[in-house]
Amino acid sequence: MVQMSRAALLLVDDEKFSQITMLRLLKNIGDPVTHSASNGLEAMDVLESRHSTIHCVIADFNMPIMHGLQLLKAIRTGERGIRRNMPVIMLTAHGEPPLVHLALALDVNGFVLKPAKKDSMEERLHRIFDDIQDEPDWLKPVDEYIRIDVNSSIADILKFKQLSDIKSNKPIIKHEKPVACTLETVRENDILARPLMTQNGNILMNAGQRLRGDVIKRLKDLSELNIEIGTIWIRERP
């Protein structure tokens, strides 16, 4: 596991005050080496030159020039030779389910609500460094990330609109009886029989997706964003 005192982190945030606050917070979490960037494009430059030494990216969602989700997609598709399994924590002052839906599809490694609290950030970082060893094969093929249309969704997210996902509660397997679970009772590697939705009816994950251990942990992060998850319908277990 990466020791915090030996970790190198890249903080990406366009708000100077927020940057200063976060850098102070990170210094109190084992005093890691920290690099900073004001937007996703600057972050790409840093990652291109230092990708072999950066252990985790902590990125704001709403930034000019290159948005946090655009940065996450660029990392997952390996642009500029950046390693695709670079851990990414998404900072957000808002808990819009459409943002969460896209971030989960792009395999974000954690969520932290702004202004970040020391305990939350420390827990996410330690968990991510553990998951690097425990979940070595979590990346999807590049083509799957390329197909995720981030650009056309960003404007709607910033205007607090919902994505036009089909909100179907029908099981994807006609002859399977779905099993109702909660975040406390769902198990690692359970497969969603219906879309995973918030209490308000927003889709977070599509039916058919496998709930890896690290994904379940990310879903638990959402309580800090005031996103309440509804019933989790899974396929019958063997």
Side-chain angles (χ1 to χ4, degrees), residues 8-16 18-24 26 32-47 49-50 54 56-60 63 71:
L9 310 177
L10 173 58
L11 173 64
V12 193
D13 197 326
D14 64 310
E15 297 178 1
K16 202 65 182 176
S18 181
Q19 260 198 31
I20 293 170
T21 302
M22 277 295 303
L23 289 171
R24 287 176 180 167
L26 292 170
V33 175
T34 54
H35 305 274
S36 60
S38 297
N39 56 65
L41 196 58
E42 287 184 13
M44 291 292 288
D45 292 338
V46 175
L47 290 171
S49 61
R50 298 178 179 271
I54 299 292
C56 183
V57 175
I58 302 170
D60 191 20
M63 296 182 292
L71 172 62

PDB file of all heavy atoms in Angstrom, residues 8-16 18-24 26 32-47 49-50 54 56-60 63 71:
ATOM      1  N   ALA A   8       2.273  10.948  -4.012  1.00  0.00           N
ATOM      2  CA  ALA A   8       2.289  12.169  -4.816  1.00  0.00           C
ATOM      3  C   ALA A   8       0.883  12.367  -5.373  1.00  0.00           C
ATOM      4  O   ALA A   8       0.364  11.510  -6.077  1.00  0.00           O
ATOM      5  CB  ALA A   8       3.304  12.068  -5.939  1.00  0.00           C
ATOM      6  N   LEU A   9       0.266  13.491  -5.051  1.00  0.00           N
ATOM      7  CA  LEU A   9      -1.108  13.761  -5.432  1.00  0.00           C
ATOM      8  C   LEU A   9      -1.169  14.963  -6.369  1.00  0.00           C
ATOM      9  O   LEU A   9      -0.374  15.896  -6.248  1.00  0.00           O
ATOM     10  CB  LEU A   9      -1.964  14.050  -4.190  1.00  0.00           C
ATOM     11  CG  LEU A   9      -1.881  13.049  -3.035  1.00  0.00           C
ATOM     12  CD1 LEU A   9      -2.733  13.529  -1.869  1.00  0.00           C
ATOM     13  CD2 LEU A   9      -2.321  11.663  -3.482  1.00  0.00           C
ATOM     14  N   LEU A  10      -2.120  14.937  -7.291  1.00  0.00           N
ATOM     15  CA  LEU A  10      -2.363  16.068  -8.188  1.00  0.00           C
ATOM     16  C   LEU A  10      -3.736  16.637  -7.867  1.00  0.00           C
ATOM     17  O   LEU A  10      -4.754  15.966  -8.036  1.00  0.00           O
ATOM     18  CB  LEU A  10      -2.297  15.628  -9.651  1.00  0.00           C
ATOM     19  CG  LEU A  10      -2.692  16.693 -10.687  1.00  0.00           C
ATOM     20  CD1 LEU A  10      -1.823  17.933 -10.575  1.00  0.00           C
ATOM     21  CD2 LEU A  10      -2.622  16.112 -12.095  1.00  0.00           C
ATOM     22  N   LEU A  11      -3.769  17.892  -7.399  1.00  0.00           N
ATOM     23  CA  LEU A  11      -5.008  18.581  -7.094  1.00  0.00           C
ATOM     24  C   LEU A  11      -5.388  19.479  -8.267  1.00  0.00           C
ATOM     25  O   LEU A  11      -4.590  20.304  -8.707  1.00  0.00           O
ATOM     26  CB  LEU A  11      -4.848  19.426  -5.828  1.00  0.00           C
ATOM     27  CG  LEU A  11      -6.015  20.338  -5.458  1.00  0.00           C
ATOM     28  CD1 LEU A  11      -7.261  19.514  -5.141  1.00  0.00           C
ATOM     29  CD2 LEU A  11      -5.642  21.226  -4.276  1.00  0.00           C
ATOM     30  N   VAL A  12      -6.620  19.308  -8.775  1.00  0.00           N
ATOM     31  CA  VAL A  12      -7.073  20.062  -9.941  1.00  0.00           C
ATOM     32  C   VAL A  12      -8.316  20.852  -9.544  1.00  0.00           C
ATOM     33  O   VAL A  12      -9.385  20.286  -9.319  1.00  0.00           O
ATOM     34  CB  VAL A  12      -7.401  19.131 -11.130  1.00  0.00           C
ATOM     35  CG1 VAL A  12      -7.566  19.953 -12.401  1.00  0.00           C
ATOM     36  CG2 VAL A  12      -6.319  18.069 -11.314  1.00  0.00           C
ATOM     37  N   ASP A  13      -8.180  22.182  -9.462  1.00  0.00           N
ATOM     38  CA  ASP A  13      -9.291  23.038  -9.037  1.00  0.00           C
ATOM     39  C   ASP A  13      -9.030  24.443  -9.556  1.00  0.00           C
ATOM     40  O   ASP A  13      -7.925  24.964  -9.407  1.00  0.00           O
ATOM     41  CB  ASP A  13      -9.395  23.044  -7.511  1.00  0.00           C
ATOM     42  CG  ASP A  13     -10.746  23.563  -7.015  1.00  0.00           C
ATOM     43  OD1 ASP A  13     -11.301  24.466  -7.674  1.00  0.00           O
ATOM     44  OD2 ASP A  13     -11.227  23.079  -5.980  1.00  0.00           O
ATOM     45  N   ASP A  14     -10.042  25.061 -10.149  1.00  0.00           N
ATOM     46  CA  ASP A  14      -9.854  26.397 -10.720  1.00  0.00           C
ATOM     47  C   ASP A  14     -10.025  27.515  -9.694  1.00  0.00           C
ATOM     48  O   ASP A  14      -9.664  28.655  -9.956  1.00  0.00           O
ATOM     49  CB  ASP A  14     -10.833  26.628 -11.880  1.00  0.00           C
ATOM     50  CG  ASP A  14     -12.282  26.607 -11.429  1.00  0.00           C
ATOM     51  OD1 ASP A  14     -12.647  25.641 -10.729  1.00  0.00           O
ATOM     52  OD2 ASP A  14     -13.031  27.523 -11.760  1.00  0.00           O
ATOM     53  N   GLU A  15     -10.564  27.201  -8.509  1.00  0.00           N
ATOM     54  CA  GLU A  15     -10.755  28.215  -7.481  1.00  0.00           C
ATOM     55  C   GLU A  15      -9.514  28.268  -6.583  1.00  0.00           C
ATOM     56  O   GLU A  15      -9.175  27.300  -5.916  1.00  0.00           O
ATOM     57  CB  GLU A  15     -11.995  27.904  -6.652  1.00  0.00           C
ATOM     58  CG  GLU A  15     -13.294  27.930  -7.448  1.00  0.00           C
ATOM     59  CD  GLU A  15     -14.494  27.580  -6.596  1.00  0.00           C
ATOM     60  OE1 GLU A  15     -14.315  27.339  -5.385  1.00  0.00           O
ATOM     61  OE2 GLU A  15     -15.608  27.541  -7.141  1.00  0.00           O
ATOM     62  N   LYS A  16      -8.864  29.437  -6.575  1.00  0.00           N
ATOM     63  CA  LYS A  16      -7.603  29.569  -5.847  1.00  0.00           C
ATOM     64  C   LYS A  16      -7.782  29.314  -4.358  1.00  0.00           C
ATOM     65  O   LYS A  16      -6.976  28.613  -3.734  1.00  0.00           O
ATOM     66  CB  LYS A  16      -7.016  30.971  -6.075  1.00  0.00           C
ATOM     67  CG  LYS A  16      -5.521  31.045  -5.820  1.00  0.00           C
ATOM     68  CD  LYS A  16      -4.772  30.173  -6.835  1.00  0.00           C
ATOM     69  CE  LYS A  16      -3.264  30.198  -6.571  1.00  0.00           C
ATOM     70  NZ  LYS A  16      -2.546  29.287  -7.488  1.00  0.00           N
ATOM     71  N   SER A  18     -10.046  27.545  -2.866  1.00  0.00           N
ATOM     72  CA  SER A  18     -10.304  26.126  -2.671  1.00  0.00           C
ATOM     73  C   SER A  18      -9.011  25.320  -2.782  1.00  0.00           C
ATOM     74  O   SER A  18      -8.791  24.380  -2.008  1.00  0.00           O
ATOM     75  CB  SER A  18     -11.318  25.629  -3.707  1.00  0.00           C
ATOM     76  OG  SER A  18     -11.589  24.265  -3.529  1.00  0.00           O
ATOM     77  N   GLN A  19      -8.169  25.705  -3.737  1.00  0.00           N
ATOM     78  CA  GLN A  19      -6.866  25.040  -3.879  1.00  0.00           C
ATOM     79  C   GLN A  19      -6.041  25.165  -2.612  1.00  0.00           C
ATOM     80  O   GLN A  19      -5.491  24.188  -2.101  1.00  0.00           O
ATOM     81  CB  GLN A  19      -6.078  25.657  -5.045  1.00  0.00           C
ATOM     82  CG  GLN A  19      -6.126  24.866  -6.331  1.00  0.00           C
ATOM     83  CD  GLN A  19      -5.012  25.270  -7.290  1.00  0.00           C
ATOM     84  OE1 GLN A  19      -3.930  25.666  -6.887  1.00  0.00           O
ATOM     85  NE2 GLN A  19      -5.287  25.158  -8.570  1.00  0.00           N
ATOM     86  N   ILE A  20      -5.935  26.392  -2.096  1.00  0.00           N
ATOM     87  CA  ILE A  20      -5.131  26.638  -0.891  1.00  0.00           C
ATOM     88  C   ILE A  20      -5.673  25.845   0.289  1.00  0.00           C
ATOM     89  O   ILE A  20      -4.922  25.219   1.041  1.00  0.00           O
ATOM     90  CB  ILE A  20      -5.112  28.148  -0.569  1.00  0.00           C
ATOM     91  CG1 ILE A  20      -4.347  28.917  -1.651  1.00  0.00           C
ATOM     92  CG2 ILE A  20      -4.477  28.403   0.798  1.00  0.00           C
ATOM     93  CD1 ILE A  20      -4.470  30.410  -1.559  1.00  0.00           C
ATOM     94  N   THR A  21      -7.001  25.849   0.438  1.00  0.00           N
ATOM     95  CA  THR A  21      -7.632  25.105   1.534  1.00  0.00           C
ATOM     96  C   THR A  21      -7.349  23.612   1.426  1.00  0.00           C
ATOM     97  O   THR A  21      -7.021  22.943   2.411  1.00  0.00           O
ATOM     98  CB  THR A  21      -9.152  25.351   1.533  1.00  0.00           C
ATOM     99  OG1 THR A  21      -9.400  26.757   1.655  1.00  0.00           O
ATOM    100  CG2 THR A  21      -9.815  24.623   2.686  1.00  0.00           C
ATOM    101  N   MET A  22      -7.475  23.075   0.206  1.00  0.00           N
ATOM    102  CA  MET A  22      -7.244  21.651   0.002  1.00  0.00           C
ATOM    103  C   MET A  22      -5.784  21.284   0.227  1.00  0.00           C
ATOM    104  O   MET A  22      -5.478  20.230   0.797  1.00  0.00           O
ATOM    105  CB  MET A  22      -7.672  21.247  -1.416  1.00  0.00           C
ATOM    106  CG  MET A  22      -9.153  20.975  -1.565  1.00  0.00           C
ATOM    107  SD  MET A  22      -9.686  19.547  -0.591  1.00  0.00           S
ATOM    108  CE  MET A  22      -8.593  18.289  -1.249  1.00  0.00           C
ATOM    109  N   LEU A  23      -4.870  22.122  -0.215  1.00  0.00           N
ATOM    110  CA  LEU A  23      -3.446  21.836  -0.030  1.00  0.00           C
ATOM    111  C   LEU A  23      -3.093  21.801   1.462  1.00  0.00           C
ATOM    112  O   LEU A  23      -2.301  20.965   1.902  1.00  0.00           O
ATOM    113  CB  LEU A  23      -2.595  22.872  -0.767  1.00  0.00           C
ATOM    114  CG  LEU A  23      -2.614  22.772  -2.301  1.00  0.00           C
ATOM    115  CD1 LEU A  23      -1.923  23.974  -2.939  1.00  0.00           C
ATOM    116  CD2 LEU A  23      -1.962  21.476  -2.778  1.00  0.00           C
ATOM    117  N   ARG A  24      -3.700  22.694   2.237  1.00  0.00           N
ATOM    118  CA  ARG A  24      -3.484  22.678   3.692  1.00  0.00           C
ATOM    119  C   ARG A  24      -4.055  21.411   4.300  1.00  0.00           C
ATOM    120  O   ARG A  24      -3.441  20.791   5.170  1.00  0.00           O
ATOM    121  CB  ARG A  24      -4.146  23.905   4.327  1.00  0.00           C
ATOM    122  CG  ARG A  24      -3.406  25.215   4.063  1.00  0.00           C
ATOM    123  CD  ARG A  24      -4.186  26.389   4.635  1.00  0.00           C
ATOM    124  NE  ARG A  24      -3.515  27.651   4.405  1.00  0.00           N
ATOM    125  CZ  ARG A  24      -4.080  28.834   4.583  1.00  0.00           C
ATOM    126  NH1 ARG A  24      -5.351  28.907   4.985  1.00  0.00           N
ATOM    127  NH2 ARG A  24      -3.397  29.939   4.354  1.00  0.00           N
ATOM    128  N   LEU A  26      -4.514  18.503   2.814  1.00  0.00           N
ATOM    129  CA  LEU A  26      -3.693  17.357   2.420  1.00  0.00           C
ATOM    130  C   LEU A  26      -2.385  17.305   3.200  1.00  0.00           C
ATOM    131  O   LEU A  26      -1.877  16.222   3.509  1.00  0.00           O
ATOM    132  CB  LEU A  26      -3.412  17.405   0.916  1.00  0.00           C
ATOM    133  CG  LEU A  26      -4.626  17.173   0.012  1.00  0.00           C
ATOM    134  CD1 LEU A  26      -4.279  17.476  -1.440  1.00  0.00           C
ATOM    135  CD2 LEU A  26      -5.150  15.746   0.146  1.00  0.00           C
ATOM    136  N   PRO A  32       1.691  14.457   2.042  1.00  0.00           N
ATOM    137  CA  PRO A  32       2.131  13.907   0.748  1.00  0.00           C
ATOM    138  C   PRO A  32       2.715  15.001  -0.141  1.00  0.00           C
ATOM    139  O   PRO A  32       2.488  16.194   0.087  1.00  0.00           O
ATOM    140  CB  PRO A  32       0.832  13.368   0.145  1.00  0.00           C
ATOM    141  CG  PRO A  32      -0.226  14.256   0.723  1.00  0.00           C
ATOM    142  CD  PRO A  32       0.228  14.568   2.121  1.00  0.00           C
ATOM    143  N   VAL A  33       3.437  14.605  -1.173  1.00  0.00           N
ATOM    144  CA  VAL A  33       3.880  15.552  -2.191  1.00  0.00           C
ATOM    145  C   VAL A  33       2.647  15.964  -2.991  1.00  0.00           C
ATOM    146  O   VAL A  33       1.866  15.117  -3.417  1.00  0.00           O
ATOM    147  CB  VAL A  33       4.922  14.909  -3.129  1.00  0.00           C
ATOM    148  CG1 VAL A  33       5.289  15.863  -4.266  1.00  0.00           C
ATOM    149  CG2 VAL A  33       6.163  14.506  -2.342  1.00  0.00           C
ATOM    150  N   THR A  34       2.442  17.259  -3.186  1.00  0.00           N
ATOM    151  CA  THR A  34       1.252  17.713  -3.910  1.00  0.00           C
ATOM    152  C   THR A  34       1.630  18.583  -5.094  1.00  0.00           C
ATOM    153  O   THR A  34       2.507  19.445  -4.998  1.00  0.00           O
ATOM    154  CB  THR A  34       0.304  18.505  -2.985  1.00  0.00           C
ATOM    155  OG1 THR A  34       1.023  19.573  -2.351  1.00  0.00           O
ATOM    156  CG2 THR A  34      -0.305  17.602  -1.933  1.00  0.00           C
ATOM    157  N   HIS A  35       0.982  18.332  -6.214  1.00  0.00           N
ATOM    158  CA  HIS A  35       1.096  19.165  -7.406  1.00  0.00           C
ATOM    159  C   HIS A  35      -0.290  19.764  -7.641  1.00  0.00           C
ATOM    160  O   HIS A  35      -1.300  19.221  -7.185  1.00  0.00           O
ATOM    161  CB  HIS A  35       1.531  18.340  -8.619  1.00  0.00           C
ATOM    162  CG  HIS A  35       2.788  17.579  -8.395  1.00  0.00           C
ATOM    163  ND1 HIS A  35       4.032  18.111  -8.587  1.00  0.00           N
ATOM    164  CD2 HIS A  35       2.993  16.293  -7.973  1.00  0.00           C
ATOM    165  CE1 HIS A  35       4.964  17.214  -8.315  1.00  0.00           C
ATOM    166  NE2 HIS A  35       4.355  16.097  -7.930  1.00  0.00           N
ATOM    167  N   SER A  36      -0.378  20.868  -8.341  1.00  0.00           N
ATOM    168  CA  SER A  36      -1.675  21.491  -8.561  1.00  0.00           C
ATOM    169  C   SER A  36      -1.834  21.944 -10.000  1.00  0.00           C
ATOM    170  O   SER A  36      -0.861  22.181 -10.714  1.00  0.00           O
ATOM    171  CB  SER A  36      -1.871  22.683  -7.613  1.00  0.00           C
ATOM    172  OG  SER A  36      -0.867  23.658  -7.817  1.00  0.00           O
ATOM    173  N   ALA A  37      -3.092  22.046 -10.426  1.00  0.00           N
ATOM    174  CA  ALA A  37      -3.450  22.521 -11.760  1.00  0.00           C
ATOM    175  C   ALA A  37      -4.784  23.241 -11.648  1.00  0.00           C
ATOM    176  O   ALA A  37      -5.592  22.940 -10.759  1.00  0.00           O
ATOM    177  CB  ALA A  37      -3.550  21.367 -12.742  1.00  0.00           C
ATOM    178  N   SER A  38      -5.027  24.211 -12.548  1.00  0.00           N
ATOM    179  CA  SER A  38      -6.232  25.030 -12.482  1.00  0.00           C
ATOM    180  C   SER A  38      -7.376  24.515 -13.346  1.00  0.00           C
ATOM    181  O   SER A  38      -8.492  25.005 -13.260  1.00  0.00           O
ATOM    182  CB  SER A  38      -5.909  26.480 -12.879  1.00  0.00           C
ATOM    183  OG  SER A  38      -4.993  27.034 -11.960  1.00  0.00           O
ATOM    184  N   ASN A  39      -7.096  23.539 -14.201  1.00  0.00           N
ATOM    185  CA  ASN A  39      -8.146  22.944 -15.031  1.00  0.00           C
ATOM    186  C   ASN A  39      -7.645  21.613 -15.569  1.00  0.00           C
ATOM    187  O   ASN A  39      -6.476  21.243 -15.364  1.00  0.00           O
ATOM    188  CB  ASN A  39      -8.549  23.879 -16.176  1.00  0.00           C
ATOM    189  CG  ASN A  39      -7.379  24.275 -17.049  1.00  0.00           C
ATOM    190  OD1 ASN A  39      -6.781  23.436 -17.731  1.00  0.00           O
ATOM    191  ND2 ASN A  39      -7.020  25.561 -17.046  1.00  0.00           N
ATOM    192  N   GLY A  40      -8.525  20.909 -16.252  1.00  0.00           N
ATOM    193  CA  GLY A  40      -8.165  19.586 -16.745  1.00  0.00           C
ATOM    194  C   GLY A  40      -7.025  19.590 -17.741  1.00  0.00           C
ATOM    195  O   GLY A  40      -6.213  18.664 -17.775  1.00  0.00           O
ATOM    196  N   LEU A  41      -6.943  20.628 -18.562  1.00  0.00           N
ATOM    197  CA  LEU A  41      -5.885  20.680 -19.568  1.00  0.00           C
ATOM    198  C   LEU A  41      -4.515  20.827 -18.914  1.00  0.00           C
ATOM    199  O   LEU A  41      -3.554  20.161 -19.306  1.00  0.00           O
ATOM    200  CB  LEU A  41      -6.139  21.846 -20.532  1.00  0.00           C
ATOM    201  CG  LEU A  41      -5.355  21.833 -21.847  1.00  0.00           C
ATOM    202  CD1 LEU A  41      -5.640  20.561 -22.639  1.00  0.00           C
ATOM    203  CD2 LEU A  41      -5.699  23.067 -22.680  1.00  0.00           C
ATOM    204  N   GLU A  42      -4.429  21.696 -17.890  1.00  0.00           N
ATOM    205  CA  GLU A  42      -3.178  21.819 -17.147  1.00  0.00           C
ATOM    206  C   GLU A  42      -2.840  20.499 -16.451  1.00  0.00           C
ATOM    207  O   GLU A  42      -1.673  20.104 -16.382  1.00  0.00           O
ATOM    208  CB  GLU A  42      -3.279  22.933 -16.112  1.00  0.00           C
ATOM    209  CG  GLU A  42      -3.254  24.336 -16.680  1.00  0.00           C
ATOM    210  CD  GLU A  42      -3.253  25.396 -15.592  1.00  0.00           C
ATOM    211  OE1 GLU A  42      -3.017  25.042 -14.414  1.00  0.00           O
ATOM    212  OE2 GLU A  42      -3.482  26.576 -15.917  1.00  0.00           O
ATOM    213  N   ALA A  43      -3.873  19.839 -15.943  1.00  0.00           N
ATOM    214  CA  ALA A  43      -3.655  18.553 -15.282  1.00  0.00           C
ATOM    215  C   ALA A  43      -3.093  17.525 -16.249  1.00  0.00           C
ATOM    216  O   ALA A  43      -2.208  16.731 -15.888  1.00  0.00           O
ATOM    217  CB  ALA A  43      -4.971  18.048 -14.687  1.00  0.00           C
ATOM    218  N   MET A  44      -3.584  17.523 -17.481  1.00  0.00           N
ATOM    219  CA  MET A  44      -3.068  16.595 -18.489  1.00  0.00           C
ATOM    220  C   MET A  44      -1.587  16.841 -18.745  1.00  0.00           C
ATOM    221  O   MET A  44      -0.809  15.901 -18.932  1.00  0.00           O
ATOM    222  CB  MET A  44      -3.861  16.734 -19.788  1.00  0.00           C
ATOM    223  CG  MET A  44      -5.296  16.232 -19.710  1.00  0.00           C
ATOM    224  SD  MET A  44      -5.402  14.435 -19.502  1.00  0.00           S
ATOM    225  CE  MET A  44      -4.900  13.898 -21.151  1.00  0.00           C
ATOM    226  N   ASP A  45      -1.179  18.117 -18.762  1.00  0.00           N
ATOM    227  CA  ASP A  45       0.236  18.436 -18.957  1.00  0.00           C
ATOM    228  C   ASP A  45       1.084  17.872 -17.816  1.00  0.00           C
ATOM    229  O   ASP A  45       2.157  17.310 -18.043  1.00  0.00           O
ATOM    230  CB  ASP A  45       0.438  19.957 -19.040  1.00  0.00           C
ATOM    231  CG  ASP A  45      -0.169  20.569 -20.298  1.00  0.00           C
ATOM    232  OD1 ASP A  45      -0.356  19.824 -21.279  1.00  0.00           O
ATOM    233  OD2 ASP A  45      -0.456  21.771 -20.289  1.00  0.00           O
ATOM    234  N   VAL A  46       0.578  18.028 -16.579  1.00  0.00           N
ATOM    235  CA  VAL A  46       1.303  17.503 -15.425  1.00  0.00           C
ATOM    236  C   VAL A  46       1.379  15.980 -15.491  1.00  0.00           C
ATOM    237  O   VAL A  46       2.439  15.378 -15.275  1.00  0.00           O
ATOM    238  CB  VAL A  46       0.633  17.945 -14.102  1.00  0.00           C
ATOM    239  CG1 VAL A  46       1.330  17.285 -12.902  1.00  0.00           C
ATOM    240  CG2 VAL A  46       0.670  19.464 -13.965  1.00  0.00           C
ATOM    241  N   LEU A  47       0.249  15.353 -15.807  1.00  0.00           N
ATOM    242  CA  LEU A  47       0.214  13.889 -15.852  1.00  0.00           C
ATOM    243  C   LEU A  47       1.090  13.337 -16.971  1.00  0.00           C
ATOM    244  O   LEU A  47       1.710  12.280 -16.819  1.00  0.00           O
ATOM    245  CB  LEU A  47      -1.228  13.408 -16.034  1.00  0.00           C
ATOM    246  CG  LEU A  47      -2.147  13.603 -14.830  1.00  0.00           C
ATOM    247  CD1 LEU A  47      -3.585  13.287 -15.193  1.00  0.00           C
ATOM    248  CD2 LEU A  47      -1.701  12.725 -13.665  1.00  0.00           C
ATOM    249  N   SER A  49       3.853  14.511 -18.025  1.00  0.00           N
ATOM    250  CA  SER A  49       5.265  14.575 -17.645  1.00  0.00           C
ATOM    251  C   SER A  49       5.579  13.785 -16.376  1.00  0.00           C
ATOM    252  O   SER A  49       6.719  13.377 -16.160  1.00  0.00           O
ATOM    253  CB  SER A  49       5.695  16.030 -17.450  1.00  0.00           C
ATOM    254  OG  SER A  49       4.943  16.644 -16.414  1.00  0.00           O
ATOM    255  N   ARG A  50       4.536  13.550 -15.542  1.00  0.00           N
ATOM    256  CA  ARG A  50       4.792  12.924 -14.243  1.00  0.00           C
ATOM    257  C   ARG A  50       3.903  11.701 -13.964  1.00  0.00           C
ATOM    258  O   ARG A  50       3.765  11.283 -12.826  1.00  0.00           O
ATOM    259  CB  ARG A  50       4.550  13.939 -13.111  1.00  0.00           C
ATOM    260  CG  ARG A  50       5.461  15.146 -13.152  1.00  0.00           C
ATOM    261  CD  ARG A  50       5.112  16.113 -12.020  1.00  0.00           C
ATOM    262  NE  ARG A  50       5.969  17.275 -11.991  1.00  0.00           N
ATOM    263  CZ  ARG A  50       7.118  17.347 -11.335  1.00  0.00           C
ATOM    264  NH1 ARG A  50       7.539  16.301 -10.641  1.00  0.00           N
ATOM    265  NH2 ARG A  50       7.839  18.445 -11.358  1.00  0.00           N
ATOM    266  N   ILE A  54       2.788  10.168 -10.119  1.00  0.00           N
ATOM    267  CA  ILE A  54       1.550  10.599  -9.465  1.00  0.00           C
ATOM    268  C   ILE A  54       0.749   9.378  -9.022  1.00  0.00           C
ATOM    269  O   ILE A  54       0.522   8.459  -9.805  1.00  0.00           O
ATOM    270  CB  ILE A  54       0.686  11.466 -10.415  1.00  0.00           C
ATOM    271  CG1 ILE A  54       1.442  12.732 -10.835  1.00  0.00           C
ATOM    272  CG2 ILE A  54      -0.646  11.831  -9.749  1.00  0.00           C
ATOM    273  CD1 ILE A  54       1.675  13.729  -9.743  1.00  0.00           C
ATOM    274  N   CYS A  56      -2.410   9.674  -7.312  1.00  0.00           N
ATOM    275  CA  CYS A  56      -3.848   9.905  -7.316  1.00  0.00           C
ATOM    276  C   CYS A  56      -4.147  11.329  -7.781  1.00  0.00           C
ATOM    277  O   CYS A  56      -3.395  12.260  -7.471  1.00  0.00           O
ATOM    278  CB  CYS A  56      -4.419   9.687  -5.912  1.00  0.00           C
ATOM    279  SG  CYS A  56      -6.218   9.871  -5.789  1.00  0.00           S
ATOM    280  N   VAL A  57      -5.246  11.485  -8.532  1.00  0.00           N
ATOM    281  CA  VAL A  57      -5.725  12.793  -8.968  1.00  0.00           C
ATOM    282  C   VAL A  57      -6.963  13.142  -8.159  1.00  0.00           C
ATOM    283  O   VAL A  57      -7.871  12.323  -8.010  1.00  0.00           O
ATOM    284  CB  VAL A  57      -6.066  12.787 -10.474  1.00  0.00           C
ATOM    285  CG1 VAL A  57      -6.689  14.125 -10.886  1.00  0.00           C
ATOM    286  CG2 VAL A  57      -4.820  12.504 -11.302  1.00  0.00           C
ATOM    287  N   ILE A  58      -6.984  14.361  -7.615  1.00  0.00           N
ATOM    288  CA  ILE A  58      -8.154  14.873  -6.903  1.00  0.00           C
ATOM    289  C   ILE A  58      -8.667  16.046  -7.723  1.00  0.00           C
ATOM    290  O   ILE A  58      -8.015  17.092  -7.794  1.00  0.00           O
ATOM    291  CB  ILE A  58      -7.788  15.322  -5.478  1.00  0.00           C
ATOM    292  CG1 ILE A  58      -7.167  14.156  -4.695  1.00  0.00           C
ATOM    293  CG2 ILE A  58      -9.022  15.864  -4.753  1.00  0.00           C
ATOM    294  CD1 ILE A  58      -6.556  14.568  -3.368  1.00  0.00           C
ATOM    295  N   ALA A  59      -9.808  15.885  -8.399  1.00  0.00           N
ATOM    296  CA  ALA A  59     -10.251  16.874  -9.389  1.00  0.00           C
ATOM    297  C   ALA A  59     -11.627  17.432  -9.070  1.00  0.00           C
ATOM    298  O   ALA A  59     -12.545  16.690  -8.707  1.00  0.00           O
ATOM    299  CB  ALA A  59     -10.258  16.252 -10.781  1.00  0.00           C
ATOM    300  N   ASP A  60     -11.760  18.756  -9.233  1.00  0.00           N
ATOM    301  CA  ASP A  60     -13.059  19.397  -9.127  1.00  0.00           C
ATOM    302  C   ASP A  60     -13.893  18.999 -10.341  1.00  0.00           C
ATOM    303  O   ASP A  60     -13.365  18.637 -11.397  1.00  0.00           O
ATOM    304  CB  ASP A  60     -12.878  20.914  -9.074  1.00  0.00           C
ATOM    305  CG  ASP A  60     -14.158  21.642  -8.688  1.00  0.00           C
ATOM    306  OD1 ASP A  60     -15.051  21.001  -8.106  1.00  0.00           O
ATOM    307  OD2 ASP A  60     -14.267  22.850  -8.966  1.00  0.00           O
ATOM    308  N   MET A  63     -15.059  23.040 -13.920  1.00  0.00           N
ATOM    309  CA  MET A  63     -13.883  23.844 -14.232  1.00  0.00           C
ATOM    310  C   MET A  63     -13.951  24.324 -15.676  1.00  0.00           C
ATOM    311  O   MET A  63     -14.554  23.665 -16.520  1.00  0.00           O
ATOM    312  CB  MET A  63     -12.595  23.022 -14.049  1.00  0.00           C
ATOM    313  CG  MET A  63     -12.310  22.566 -12.642  1.00  0.00           C
ATOM    314  SD  MET A  63     -10.750  21.666 -12.524  1.00  0.00           S
ATOM    315  CE  MET A  63     -11.153  20.160 -13.453  1.00  0.00           C
ATOM    316  N   LEU A  71     -11.619  15.339 -18.023  1.00  0.00           N
ATOM    317  CA  LEU A  71     -10.309  14.879 -17.547  1.00  0.00           C
ATOM    318  C   LEU A  71     -10.366  13.403 -17.189  1.00  0.00           C
ATOM    319  O   LEU A  71      -9.473  12.626 -17.569  1.00  0.00           O
ATOM    320  CB  LEU A  71      -9.884  15.710 -16.334  1.00  0.00           C
ATOM    321  CG  LEU A  71      -8.630  15.236 -15.585  1.00  0.00           C
ATOM    322  CD1 LEU A  71      -7.404  15.270 -16.492  1.00  0.00           C
ATOM    323  CD2 LEU A  71      -8.406  16.075 -14.329  1.00  0.00           C
TER     324      LEU A  71
END
